[in-house]
Amino acid sequence: DGGITQSPKYLFRKEGQNVTLSCEQNLNHDAMYWYRQDPGQGLRLIYYSQIVNDFQKGDIAEGYSVSREKKESFPLTVTSAQKNPTAFYLCASSTGAGTGANVLTFGAGSRLTVL
Amino acid sequence: GQNIDQPTEMTATEGAIVQINCTYQTSGFNGLFWYQQHAGEAPTFLSYNVLDGLEEKGRFSSFLSRSKGYSYLLLKELQMKDSASYLCAASDSNYQLIWGAGTKLIIKP
């Protein structure tokens, strides 16, 4: 079955540590996105990539980094510079560029908690 | 600024009808999306409206009024499995989504 796989589902981090969240898709989608979801707020875009080896900052990129070395993979690193990283992180993909131009397919999410 | 407003929480009875409203203010407009998200799970696409009017898809319908900056999602014959959050999102002039905070729908027997 085609879809998006995120791992791990739950992750605990100590302050000062970097962590990497995995996102893999087998939908052959060109565009991939990372969102952050906090209680009482709408989804906020962290980074997006429209093509391999290229990515752009979203609205809240500070303290995060990404790479897009393969079409299928778009890992997100939450660095120690992110001051409030505890959140639910969602990876998504679409056939074309633009979150509002295409239907998004989401992964099941990764919940990061900073201890 | 760009803004999406929707109620935080709604409660309805199994078998009944519920309407979830969404108002939006965006720089340009290229359509209105509704997604469903069960607790701790991935959002899934429900509907997309770009023209005024009602789009019906089984038990779910979505309405758009561009002049009023208003949309609603109508759920009929409610089932317990419809308990979820419903996310409204508007596409702006750059085809980027502006998301509402979501409406948590609680279905009671």
Side-chain angles (χ1 to χ4, degrees):
Chain A
D1 288 339
I4 298 181
T5 301
Q6 287 187 241
S7 63
K9 190 168 179 62
Y10 299 97
L11 185 61
F12 298 90
R13 189 194 92 173
K14 294 182 180 179
E15 286 192 18
Q17 287 182 333
N18 293 353
V19 294
T20 297
L21 307 181
S22 170
C23 178
E24 303 278 334
Q25 56 102 354
N26 60 4
L27 299 165
N28 200 32
H29 284 173
D30 289 315
M32 297 187 73
Y33 314 87
W34 274 105
Y35 280 100
R36 172 178 171 143
Q37 187 173 37
D38 294 282
Q41 297 190 42
L43 297 181
R44 291 183 291 170
L45 186 63
I46 304 172
Y47 267 99
Y48 64 99
S49 169
Q50 299 177 8
I51 195 170
V52 174
N53 292 322
D54 188 45
F55 48 83
Q56 285 78 41
K57 293 181 179 180
D59 300 318
I60 56 164
E62 185 175 353
Y64 300 97
S65 66
V66 294
S67 63
R68 186 87 186 274
E69 297 176 359
K70 298 187 300 181
K71 186 176 184 177
E72 302 79 18
S73 179
F74 192 42
L76 173 74
T77 296
V78 185
T79 75
S80 57
Q82 170 50 235
K83 297 306 178 188
N84 185 23
T86 294
F88 190 53
Y89 291 88
L90 287 163
C91 180
S93 70
S94 64
T95 53
T99 55
N102 303 275
V103 172
L104 298 177
T105 300
F106 285 89
S110 294
R111 186 168 297 282
L112 172 63
T113 303
V114 174
L115 303 173
Chain B
Q2 305 198 100
N3 191 52
I4 305 285
D5 284 317
Q6 53 181 132
T8 302
E9 187 174 294
M10 299 181 70
T11 302
T13 304
E14 189 176 16
I17 300 173
V18 71
Q19 178 175 311
I20 302 174
N21 296 325
C22 170
T23 57
Y24 64 88
Q25 289 179 303
T26 55
S27 300
F29 179 74
N30 282 301
L32 194 292
F33 291 78
W34 285 95
Y35 284 80
Q36 179 192 59
Q37 185 180 24
H38 287 97
E41 297 184 10
T44 55
F45 170 76
L46 287 178
S47 68
Y48 170 69
N49 295 64
V50 67
L51 301 176
D52 286 354
L54 187 69
E55 295 275 345
E56 297 187 75
K57 192 183 295 184
R59 293 189 299 115
F60 292 10
S61 302
S62 56
F63 172 83
L64 176 67
S65 169
R66 294 178 63 136
S67 63
K68 295 182 179 179
Y70 167 71
S71 173
Y72 67 73
L73 182 69
L74 190 72
L75 290 74
K76 303 176 184 176
E77 302 170 13
L78 286 170
Q79 301 175 10
M80 298 303 293
K81 67 179 182 179
D82 297 329
S83 292
S85 288
Y86 292 86
L87 312 180
C88 172
S91 178
D92 69 10
S93 58
N94 295 317
Y95 290 95
Q96 298 302 313
L97 279 182
I98 311 301
W99 294 84
T103 298
K104 182 179 181 179
L105 178 62
I106 299 168
I107 309 297
K108 295 186 175 180

